[in-house]
Amino acid sequence: GSPRAELGKGERIRDNILELALTKVPESGWTTKTIADAATELGYSPIAHTMAQNGTVDLIGYFMNKALRETRLQVAKSLNP
């Protein structure tokens, strides 16, 4: 595929890994191991955690962005029932 399509695919894989990693945070914390475990569970090599180039900072950022998106959606729903 094109470089742009490959970038999008990589971002989707990273987001899938981070999404699963969020479910593991309560038991294993905001760690690189949490991200690696999520990657492994999704069938990727544990080294796939490097798709989140900044490790736990990316995981926390993903969480914050997700929370912001969900908050905006809830506010929009409450303003436009």
Side-chain angles (χ1 to χ4, degrees):
S2 72
R4 175 172 233 128
E6 290 301 314
L7 177 63
K9 181 180 179 184
E11 288 176 353
R12 285 191 301 276
I13 291 170
R14 186 202 69 205
D15 287 355
N16 289 340
I17 292 169
L18 293 176
E19 186 69 32
L20 182 58
L22 284 180
T23 68
K24 299 180 171 309
V25 167
E27 62 208 32
S28 57
W30 299 93
T31 66
T32 302
K33 183 180 180 326
T34 300
I35 301 169
D37 288 348
T40 301
E41 190 171 321
L42 290 171
Y44 302 108
S45 164
I47 199 70
H49 80 273
T50 62
M51 293 185 82
Q53 296 175 354
N54 297 309
T56 56
V57 172
D58 284 353
L59 181 57
I60 293 167
Y62 182 83
F63 169 76
M64 298 298 293
N65 288 331
K66 180 180 177 181
L68 182 58
R69 283 191 309 271
E70 291 173 358
T71 299
R72 286 179 176 159
L73 181 61
Q74 290 300 319
V75 168
K77 283 181 181 179
S78 70
L79 294 176
N80 302 305

